[in-house]
Amino acid sequence: MDVNDTQGNGPDQEPTVEGPQAPAGDQPTAQQPASGGPAPKRLTRTRGDRIVGGVCGGLGRYFNADPILFRIGAVALVFVGGAGLLLYLAALLLVPNEGESAPIAPGAQGGNRGWVIAGVVIALLFAFPFLLAGGFLFAGVGIPFAVLVGAGVLVWWLVSGEGPSGSAGEIARRAALGVAVVIGCFVLFFVAGFGAAAGPDWLVPALVVAAGGAIVAGAFLKPVRWLVPPAMTIALAAGVVAAADIDFDGGVGEREYRPGSSVDLREHYDLGIGKLVIDLRDTDLPKGDVPLDLDVGIGEARVIVPDDVCVATDAEVGAGNIAIFGRDHGGIDATYENAPTAKPAATRLVLNADVGMGEVRVHDSRGERYFDPRGFRPFHDEDPELSGDQPVACVTTG
Amino acid sequence: MRAGPDIRALVAGLAVLALGGVLLLDALGPIDLTFAVIAPVASAAAGAILVANGLSR
């Protein structure tokens, strides 16, 4: 970057991009050539339009462009291994301040400038690989933060109708208020979701309708646009709860049941949030159909059956996975139905499982070792041992 | 007294009202919401609010 690079301005070109010319008779300065012709266009760091060192402001003035473009570019380059940071530092050292002839770096003028520039370039080449990892690390934090700030500006624009204009401080203030709204809505999402899952089904939807009515009425009287983000947040939370069919009946926690006989085995098990395990391996089950209903709001419903029991399954998961004897059926609004016929005199477990968000798992003793949390591999469709086959007690696969 | 309704607020209010109506129908029983239904409905409501904001500027 040649800081004193002239643009070869002719008489018909703009004479200068910097301050007023020195009065006639004054000694020529760095900004005014002794020849008396138009002053060369010089790259300097601005004093008035600066956020850090005035580099981007100077570039904007030099290229007659909005400095914000250079600022965005510099920030973007920071994420590329910190190159933007290094280039900015280099410009800070080599480009003089507005109205000054010498840059910050000692010796960066006259014949030494070439050496200084070469030194900076070499430093960049050496430092870049080390900064690359740091850049990616920084990107991992910086990009989500940038997205959050962008969301904040968007939210503030929606709420107040004020776009991102004005000084950097004003934009930052609006972005901060927008981020506060985003965070508030994030908290509200969970509160409303909990209320929708734990309270009466109609309560939260009725609140949303009331908020919508208030916003419509306000449109004719006094607009209450601030009510839109919380109303939409509550509606989204209620929508997720309704779509996943989440309810918190049965409480929260980890429940494991090992009934000794069919008398101890309930027909229906409920859990709000957590893990529900029904282990039937030691249960003395009668021949014929044995019904079992499981209802989990958020979490896992897991059934472990004896090897000689056939299982008929009707499972629904709002968002998550259904793993039946090692075969996965995952996604949104996932369902799985399979009603195989049991061998004569065998037990058939008729399972009806409903999980809002999470997983339904059914397996026998073949699969138990694969679920051991101490480090066995998970089920896999291609696993030759666990190909989704029903237990030997089934005659057909349904 | 305002000369006319605030279009942005009116569209936003109607979108929220529609979304709340769908949720209420699910809660009271006539429909059974799934993600396949609520996702496009919510997106349409949010989109209507954004479009109204953009156009009335």
Side-chain angles (χ1 to χ4, degrees), chain A residues 15-69:
Chain A
T16 181
V17 293
E18 228 173 25
Q21 299 285 326
D26 281 1
Q27 289 298 314
T29 67
Q31 297 157 28
Q32 186 185 23
S35 63
K41 197 174 181 181
R42 283 188 77 226
L43 177 62
T44 54
R45 291 185 285 119
T46 51
R47 290 185 182 278
D49 182 17
R50 69 165 51 185
I51 291 178
V52 181
V55 172
C56 294
L59 283 168
R61 193 169 59 180
Y62 188 84
F63 291 106
N64 196 24
D66 192 333
I68 194 74
L69 298 173

Side-chain angles (χ1 to χ4, degrees), chain A residues 187-211:
Chain A
V187 173
L188 185 61
F189 181 87
F190 287 100
V191 171
F194 185 84
D201 290 346
W202 54 269
L203 183 63
V204 175
L207 272 176
V208 176
V209 169

Side-chain angles (χ1 to χ4, degrees), chain B residues 28-41:
Chain B
L28 298 178
I31 62 170
D32 187 18
L33 276 183
T34 60
F35 280 106
V37 174
I38 195 68
V41 169

